[in-house]
Amino acid sequence: MPERVRTYLDWNATAPLSAAARQAVLAALELDGNPSSVHGEGRAARALIDAARRDIAALTGAEAAHVTFTSGATEAANTVLTPEFRMGRTPLSIGRLYVSAIEHPAVREGGRFAADQVTEIAVTPAGVVDLAALEALLDAHDTASGLPMVALMLANNETGIVQPVAEAAAIVHKRGGLLVVDAVQGAGRLPLSMAGLDADFLILSAHKLGGPKGAGALVSRGEVLMPRPLIHGGGQEKGHRSGTENAAAIAGFAVAARAALDGMAERVGQIARLRDHMEARMAEIAAAVVIHGRDVSRLCNTTFFSLPGLKAETGQIAFDLEGIALSAGSACSSGKVGASHVLTAMGFDTGLGALRVSLGPETSEAEVERFLEAFGRIAGRRRRDVAAA
């Protein structure tokens, strides 16, 4: 029996490493020098990292000096989500962290804040952060404890719903707070601008862009206000993140960042048309399908759907057996499949199973058709099972 063709539709979990990024990684592995060394080999490695810093800055509309490389988005989140900051040499205290109820687990855990220092911000049934609730929470904030910090993602990793970051920033800054934006899913799919979003910090990840796993960045508005370092040691990254830089992963990250900027509008339009076609056919195949967030602004590539009676784990296995790789929400929780905290926050039944299809620049019409054929078979089995029950 011929081996079943595999179809990868889980780009929000990780984008396949691009050929150009792979080449950049391999080339960087040939550099022998430590980026902190002053000899020629070290200067070559440092030049590569400095160029990469400029590429990440260009992706976010920031200054290159304001980019701190990390091992990934989780480390970046744990770095910036801390009650201890410095304004130049002066200590600055953050009294409380406010996180939206739909944040990625890396942010929802609250970083270095104690559990009783973290407050959740409600979202609307549409999956958008409740700005009135945010305003009320910040109005009630105890300023004597320190400044408020708010963490809000640019686009949700499960539903793809785009959040009103600029509007939230106006509320936060009016009350003297700081805004941290998880831009991991939005990078390469939405225009990124520190000034446009009015964010104080952005979190990025290389492997969501087609770069290698193990590289990320914390991008700051400036250099004066910075968190206490998470990792101490040799003082690399201007003292913000010690440890010898992973030049190979950073090189791949830079290539992926440049590619993300190149032809973004056209690429986004093509993916959106493919996604919209897929969703229209899904509704024709199974009228009972629920596509979460369909009526609000979403990422071009994301479909988070439910079929009545189909549990997330059962559905994921069924599609995998059909040769389709998709996921049940976040793929960053050690493979756990359970109730989606995002759907719970939106007010849906926690027992409702939901699956996420996420497309990428290389997703073909043929791959979408293979998914639709599998979807039809699985939906048909569910209808028969419900009728027999």
Side-chain angles (χ1 to χ4, degrees):
M1 179 181 292
E3 185 176 349
R4 185 188 296 273
V5 175
R6 296 291 301 178
T7 299
Y8 187 78
L9 300 178
D10 201 15
W11 287 68
N12 284 11
T14 193
L17 183 65
S18 73
R22 183 187 300 274
Q23 290 174 0
V25 169
L26 294 175
L29 288 172
E30 296 298 320
L31 296 177
D32 295 326
N34 186 311
S36 296
S37 298
V38 298
H39 48 57
E41 288 82 357
R43 292 198 304 274
R46 172 57 53 195
L48 181 151
I49 291 172
D50 288 343
R53 208 181 304 278
R54 291 192 291 271
D55 289 328
I56 305 306
L59 177 65
T60 59
E63 297 292 330
H66 302 163
V67 175
T68 299
F69 286 116
T70 66
S71 65
T74 297
E75 185 194 320
N78 279 270
T79 297
V80 72
L81 300 179
T82 176
E84 298 181 65
F85 269 70
R86 297 191 73 84
M87 179 75 77
R89 298 192 177 189
T90 304
L92 182 69
S93 177
I94 307 298
R96 179 162 292 275
L97 172 65
Y98 300 87
V99 300
S100 85
I102 58 171
E103 293 302 303
H104 187 279
V107 172
R108 288 185 78 217
E109 289 294 320
R112 291 181 276 172
F113 283 89
D116 62 0
Q117 290 180 291
V118 181
T119 297
E120 192 172 89
I121 312 164
V123 299
T124 70
V128 178
V129 67
D130 188 330
L131 293 177
L134 169 62
E135 198 163 10
L137 286 171
L138 294 185
D139 283 341
H141 175 76
D142 178 13
T143 55
S145 68
L147 299 178
M149 174 183 284
V150 175
L152 176 62
M153 58 192 357
L154 178 56
N156 185 259
N157 52 298
E158 295 189 9
T159 62
I161 294 172
V162 178
Q163 300 300 311
V165 170
E167 292 88 338
I171 293 171
V172 173
H173 291 146
K174 183 178 180 181
R175 289 154 181 82
L178 300 178
L179 179 65
V180 177
V181 177
D182 171 0
V184 166
Q185 294 294 342
R189 297 167 186 155
L190 296 169
L192 276 185
S193 165
M194 289 289 290
L197 294 174
D198 200 16
D200 295 292
F201 296 91
L202 288 182
I203 295 169
L204 297 174
S205 175
H207 77 96
K208 307 294 186 177
L209 295 167
K213 302 173 185 69
L218 177 65
V219 185
S220 61
R221 182 192 292 267
E223 293 184 88
V224 176
L225 179 64
M226 291 296 290
R228 181 175 67 86
L230 175 67
I231 300 177
H232 300 267
Q236 289 87 349
E237 296 296 294
K238 295 186 177 180
H240 302 311
R241 197 277 188 185
S242 290
T244 301
E245 295 93 340
N246 185 348
I250 288 171
F253 188 5
V255 168
R258 291 199 300 270
L261 276 177
D262 187 26
M264 182 188 297
E266 181 180 358
R267 182 175 66 251
V268 165
Q270 291 173 344
I271 296 173
R273 286 189 290 274
L274 196 58
R275 192 273 311 270
D276 292 347
H277 163 74
M278 180 183 73
E279 290 184 350
R281 290 285 295 120
M282 290 170 68
E284 291 173 1
I285 293 167
V289 68
V290 177
I291 296 175
H292 303 286
R294 195 173 189 179
D295 297 326
V296 294
S297 178
R298 284 181 296 157
L299 294 176
C300 63
N301 75 320
T302 305
T303 298
F304 196 45
F305 72 93
S306 298
L307 276 171
L310 181 64
K311 293 183 178 180
E313 184 174 13
T314 303
Q316 191 171 12
I317 293 171
F319 277 102
D320 191 47
L321 291 173
E322 291 275 358
I324 309 293
L326 45 71
S327 67
S330 173
C332 300
S333 300
S334 298
K336 297 175 183 176
V337 179
S340 164
H341 74 277
V342 176
L343 289 185
T344 300
M346 292 168 64
F348 286 93
D349 180 358
T350 55
L352 183 66
L355 297 169
R356 182 186 66 193
V357 176
S358 47
L359 314 182
E362 296 174 15
T363 302
S364 66
E365 293 182 7
E367 288 176 316
V368 168
E369 290 306 316
R370 283 199 290 272
F371 162 76
L372 290 169
E373 290 170 5
F375 175 79
R377 287 190 288 271
I378 292 169
R381 288 199 294 270
R382 294 307 307 163
R383 284 195 296 268
R384 290 192 295 273
D385 290 346
V386 170

